[in-house]
Amino acid sequence: GQQVMQIPQYQHVQEGEDFTTYCNSSTTLSNIQWYKQRPGGHPVFLIQLVKSGEVKKQKRLTFQFGEAKKNSSLHITATQTTDVGTYFCAAPYGQNFVFGPGTRLSVLP
Amino acid sequence: NAGVTQTPKFQVLKTGQSMTLQCAQDMNHEYMSWYRQDPGMGLRLIHYSVGAGITDQGEVPNGYNVSRSTTEDFPLRLLSAAPSQTSVYFCASKRGSQETQYFGPGTRLLVL
């Protein structure tokens, strides 16, 4: 079945530093979604990427879909304590999505 | 709109007990799913439904039953709880197969 890998598993940064998480698939994807889960909370949709090489920005967050549509990245510029949480990518699999294991981000003030 | 609601928020069960986790959505979404989340393993799909009267198995269906009699409700039944079912359970809904998923607040289940 579809498998999605994410690295790193954990990332600790000082507030103001940048952060990047990477998502990789062994197969070509039609699209990819990103979710954020705050500690003790539930996953919340961030964005969906569809086109090869697509880059989308949401304030300090930059999302990229690889040219081969097998990988994606989420980059946060100048992290803030509000960015704390786990970031998941999700790849389509039939009528559902398969979630990566997530990258847990902690931000030290 | 309340979105996706789940009850209860917390539950403690003894091994062998049965229970039903409730999930409801008021967005008229056709697709609904149940996930379990365990540390370091992300979200794993238990069962899903593409419309009232239609359900199917996900990645980890053993020990769980579902039914979908209405568009709004999608309960998850644990038939005979086991310690391995200790987890956080999330219900989610979406309008279409490739659309945004909206998650409920989760149910934290401890099986002793």
Side-chain angles (χ1 to χ4, degrees):
Chain A
Q2 174 67 269
Q3 286 194 346
V4 178
M5 306 303 294
Q6 270 187 267
I7 54 171
Q9 188 175 3
Y10 302 96
Q11 185 80 56
H12 306 278
V13 299
Q14 204 73 34
E15 189 173 18
E17 292 181 339
D18 292 355
F19 159 76
T20 305
T21 175
Y22 300 90
C23 180
N24 295 290
S25 167
S26 58
T27 60
T28 302
L29 304 173
S30 59
N31 67 86
I32 194 160
Q33 295 182 343
W34 285 92
Y35 290 79
K36 176 184 178 181
Q37 183 178 23
R38 295 181 186 274
H42 59 276
V44 175
F45 174 81
L46 292 176
I47 208 160
Q48 184 174 36
L49 305 172
V50 179
K51 299 178 182 177
S52 169
E54 188 171 17
V55 178
K56 286 189 176 181
K57 292 188 176 184
Q58 291 180 351
K59 297 183 181 179
R60 295 178 294 103
L61 276 62
T62 301
F63 302 85
Q64 188 164 3
F65 203 7
E67 293 289 342
K69 302 181 76 173
K70 287 187 175 182
N71 57 74
S72 181
S73 64
L74 159 58
H75 178 82
I76 302 178
T77 303
T79 54
Q80 300 176 357
T81 54
T82 53
D83 296 324
V84 165
T86 301
Y87 293 84
F88 295 97
C89 61
Y93 183 62
Q95 300 189 80
N96 299 292
F97 279 83
V98 172
F99 284 78
T103 295
R104 183 182 297 178
L105 172 65
S106 64
V107 180
L108 305 174
Chain B
N1 286 354
V4 180
T5 57
Q6 290 183 240
T7 56
K9 290 185 179 180
F10 303 96
Q11 184 72 49
V12 179
L13 290 178
K14 294 181 179 179
T15 297
Q17 287 184 317
S18 62
M19 79 161 294
T20 299
L21 279 63
Q22 301 291 345
C23 174
Q25 54 93 7
D26 62 358
M27 297 175 281
N28 201 33
H29 287 170
E30 289 296 325
Y31 289 74
M32 296 187 74
S33 302
W34 276 102
Y35 294 88
R36 61 177 288 173
Q37 184 173 38
D38 302 296
M41 300 191 70
L43 294 150
R44 292 185 293 168
L45 183 64
I46 304 172
H47 285 285
Y48 66 99
S49 169
V50 300
I54 306 170
T55 64
D56 207 344
Q57 296 181 350
E59 179 186 357
V60 287
N62 292 342
Y64 308 95
N65 273 358
V66 292
S67 60
R68 184 96 179 271
S69 56
T70 67
T71 299
E72 294 78 19
D73 300 299
F74 191 42
L76 177 72
R77 297 181 185 83
L78 278 69
L79 309 173
S80 177
S84 60
Q85 294 179 305
T86 293
S87 188
V88 181
Y89 292 85
F90 289 102
C91 178
S93 74
K94 57 184 178 178
R95 187 174 55 185
S97 67
Q98 301 300 302
E99 301 277 340
T100 302
Q101 283 197 97
Y102 296 87
F103 285 82
T107 294
R108 284 154 179 76
L109 177 67
L110 174 62
V111 182
L112 302 174

